[in-house]
Amino acid sequence: MKNRYATYALLLLFAAVTFSSTAQAQRRRQAAPGKEPPHPPKVGDVAPDFELMDLKGEKVSLTELTKKSPVVMLVLRGWSGKQCPICSRQVGEFLSKSTELSEAQVVMIYPGEADQLDEYAKQFIGSKSFPDNYHFVLDPDFKFTNAWGLRWEAPRETAYPSTFVVDQEQKLVFGKTVVSHGDRVDVATVVSELP
């Protein structure tokens, strides 16, 4: 009988210690600098307008794009001190399947510090060519990234990679933001979410 009580007491003690250390780890993760979760607009919200420049110096705004068709937005990591190979892969997929997105405006947003951002963006796109409905725009000094709650404040980070679909009433109909470099949205998912 005493052994049974001793066993129960040990199990309760083990459970309490496990719960306490798990709770402490969660608090540490939540409080760690640079690990604050993103807070982008939610599905159903009106998407905040933006006006960014492409590499030709032409203005691209969400309001003007939604007058033409739904808008697909890819928020890339941009220049974090190096080019992101996962962003390259995602952009490559969206370019290779551009016919599936011919009924949408596609905006690829490249954030980073303003100094030399256009040069790094040109390196990123290399010899890629973009269809008329594709827009590769710069986000110098994170103006868009901050406004949309996507700034990743950690060393060698810029923005949380994100994909959004905005309808012609400028409502957000799909959004996915990841807190890692991978797990990106593919073209098939975007096509299925287009209004």
Side-chain angles (χ1 to χ4, degrees), residues 13-192:
L13 180 62
F14 176 76
V17 168
T18 302
F19 176 79
S20 175
S21 62
T22 301
Q24 286 174 354
Q26 286 176 337
R27 281 193 298 276
R28 277 195 303 273
R29 275 197 302 271
Q30 290 170 350
K35 298 291 184 181
E36 294 78 16
H39 50 278
K42 294 176 177 52
V43 169
D45 288 353
V46 173
D49 196 17
F50 60 80
E51 188 175 274
L52 298 169
M53 305 288 269
D54 65 17
L55 288 170
K56 299 175 197 164
E58 295 174 7
K59 292 179 184 174
V60 176
S61 79
L62 184 59
T63 299
E64 290 303 312
L65 293 177
T66 55
K67 289 177 183 176
K68 300 176 185 177
S69 67
V71 175
V72 175
M73 297 169 52
L74 297 182
V75 182
L76 307 170
R77 287 184 60 228
W79 181 252
S80 62
K82 64 178 184 174
Q83 303 292 2
C84 171
I86 300 170
C87 294
S88 249
R89 221 174 7 252
Q90 186 182 32
V91 168
E93 184 206 358
F94 273 73
L95 286 171
S96 71
K97 297 183 178 177
S98 60
T99 54
E100 296 176 41
L101 294 165
S102 61
E103 300 300 316
Q105 298 294 311
V106 178
V107 181
M108 299 175 177
I109 301 169
Y110 189 88
E113 300 289 342
D115 186 43
Q116 297 182 309
L117 186 61
D118 58 341
E119 181 184 320
Y120 298 130
K122 287 173 185 170
Q123 288 173 10
F124 178 80
I125 62 172
S127 61
K128 296 177 184 79
S129 60
F130 292 82
D132 290 340
N133 63 317
Y134 277 53
H135 313 273
F136 188 90
V137 297
L138 305 179
D139 179 23
D141 292 335
F142 312 104
K143 180 181 169 186
F144 164 86
T145 304
N146 286 322
W148 275 60
L150 298 171
R151 182 74 168 100
W152 192 345
E153 295 276 4
R156 299 185 65 79
E157 295 299 347
T158 54
Y160 289 103
S162 305
T163 305
F164 301 100
V165 176
V166 180
D167 71 13
Q168 289 192 263
E169 294 175 3
Q170 211 165 315
K171 290 264 177 75
L172 202 62
V173 296
F174 172 82
K176 180 176 179 181
T177 298
V178 295
V179 292
S180 67
H181 297 162
D183 195 24
R184 304 294 179 90
V185 174
D186 60 12
V187 171
T189 301
V190 166
V191 169
S192 73

